[in-house]
Amino acid sequence: MLENLLRGSEQSKVVLIQDTVKQSGYPLTACFLKFLSTRYEQVHVLLLDPSAECLRNIVPEENISRCIYHNLYSDPLNWLGNADVTVTSTDFIDFLRRRVTSSVHNVAVVICSLTSLIIHRSPAYTCQFLEKLGNRHSSPFPDVSIGQVVSLVHQDLHNEYTLKQLRYVSSSVISLLEDSSVNHLTNCNVVHRRLSGKIFKSKEQYQLLNSFELKAVKELQTTNLRPNDRPQVDPTANLTFKLNLSDTEKVARSQQVLPHIQIQNRQQELQSSTMSGQGQIFYEPDDADDFDDEDPDDDLDI
């Protein structure tokens, strides 16, 4: 799944990379940037961390003109008094809208990293920013569609509630595992939500070259979940009484004769005993009976 996300064969509007102090996500973000530069006409890279400078000069020469880097970390709070863009007050949707070239039709955005936005703004603003960029139905830029948004977040600096909000607005989440580098191989958990709503989960192992190119990907574990799939819960698990019957109890129940069945059996026995006896019907005509065949209605006095 990781390789499909990198190459674009698996559609994902918003990709979130979660790294830790022990496992940096900058190399994988750089790998995404190289692939994005070959797939889109223009790639805007928001550099919100000083460490994000490693993303420069990694794109092949034929694609350098497609990448536009925005330095947003030099004076993020305008302490020097000459910053045009500040993390605390800039509307980044409008910031990108004014910098997207009108001649292009599809662009990609790389944010490195979201941690600065979360700290200086709020998790709510950060999620709204990602949601607007990744909206499948409408683009925030006129006549320009955003193909993919790749963002990095340092999960060690945020609580689980904030990370859950970011995962909710992301269609793919790549979580790098701590202490997973063995023989230059890195383990990660990938959770991808397809357009149909089906959720794909996998644990994968990958290797990056010094040129930030993907060398090998190996799937260690894969799970497919549908939106309505839920683990089955036994409703009788925590009851103080037993609802299920053992085999012996089932046999005893089948042999038990219910009261209404006993009454029915008695009625059937009475009917059978009455019908088994021999009986005759004797009819004695009355004086008013008329047996005249010529005028059978004579007794009606019409």
Side-chain angles (χ1 to χ4, degrees), residues 18 40 65 87 101 134 141 157 179-180 298:
Q18 298 182 155
Y40 294 96
S65 59
V87 179
T101 307
F141 309 143
L157 302 179
D179 300 330
S180 59
D298 184 38

Side-chain angles (χ1 to χ4, degrees), residues 26-27 41 136 192 244:
Y26 289 106
E41 299 178 61
R136 299 197 307 267
H192 173 62
N244 299 325

Side-chain angles (χ1 to χ4, degrees), residues 19-247:
D19 70 350
T20 62
V21 174
K22 297 181 179 180
Q23 194 61 251
S24 175
Y26 289 106
L28 185 59
T29 306
C31 184
F32 265 98
L33 177 58
K34 293 192 69 173
F35 278 99
L36 292 175
S37 65
T38 61
R39 293 164 45 204
Y40 294 96
E41 299 178 61
Q42 203 170 77
V43 182
H44 289 264
V45 185
L46 303 182
L47 304 178
L48 294 165
D49 293 343
S51 301
E53 281 292 334
C54 66
L55 299 181
R56 294 183 185 268
N57 303 324
I58 63 170
V59 179
E61 294 183 1
E62 61 271 16
N63 297 328
I64 290 180
S65 59
R66 298 184 179 184
C67 297
I68 302 177
Y69 296 87
H70 305 284
N71 185 347
L72 304 176
Y73 65 84
S74 297
D75 190 12
L77 303 180
N78 197 22
W79 286 351
L80 302 179
N82 55 2
D84 296 331
V85 180
T86 60
V87 179
T88 56
S89 60
T90 299
D91 183 0
F92 286 98
I93 293 293
D94 184 66
F95 172 82
L96 289 173
R97 184 185 296 113
R98 289 185 281 107
R99 285 161 176 78
V100 172
T101 307
S102 58
S103 59
V104 300
H105 299 286
N106 56 350
V107 300
V109 179
V110 177
I111 307 173
C112 194
S113 70
L114 294 175
T115 296
S116 181
L117 279 179
I118 296 173
I119 293 176
H120 295 296
R121 297 293 281 267
S122 67
Y125 173 82
T126 306
C127 292
Q128 291 175 2
F129 178 49
L130 288 178
E131 197 277 332
K132 290 179 181 179
L133 291 178
N135 195 325
R136 299 197 307 267
H137 305 289
S138 62
S139 174
F141 309 143
D143 302 327
V144 178
S145 65
I146 300 178
Q148 193 171 58
V149 180
V150 178
S151 57
L152 174 67
V153 64
H154 308 309
Q155 62 178 349
D156 292 338
L157 302 179
H158 309 289
N159 55 39
E160 185 63 23
Y161 179 73
T162 300
L163 295 175
K164 284 183 178 180
Q165 295 179 64
L166 296 176
R167 295 171 193 149
Y168 181 79
V169 297
S170 303
S171 54
S172 301
V173 179
I174 304 173
S175 302
L176 305 183
L177 303 180
E178 296 183 5
D179 300 330
S180 59
S181 296
V182 179
N183 298 328
H184 304 288
L185 296 175
T186 304
N187 294 340
C188 66
N189 289 328
V190 180
V191 179
H192 173 62
R193 183 175 65 250
R194 290 175 173 167
L195 297 178
S196 61
K198 188 175 182 180
I199 299 176
F200 181 92
K201 293 184 178 181
S202 65
K203 183 177 181 181
E204 302 183 14
Q205 193 175 69
Y206 68 91
Q207 182 180 5
L208 295 178
L209 300 177
N210 294 332
S211 58
F212 301 106
E213 294 181 358
L214 190 66
K215 181 180 180 181
V217 177
K218 179 182 179 182
E219 290 189 2
L220 304 179
Q221 185 178 358
T222 303
T223 305
N224 291 326
L225 296 176
R226 295 186 179 275
N228 296 329
D229 286 350
R230 295 291 185 273
Q232 297 295 331
V233 179
D234 186 7
T236 64
N238 299 322
L239 296 179
T240 57
F241 53 90
K242 185 176 66 172
L243 292 179
N244 299 325
L245 298 177
S246 62
D247 295 338

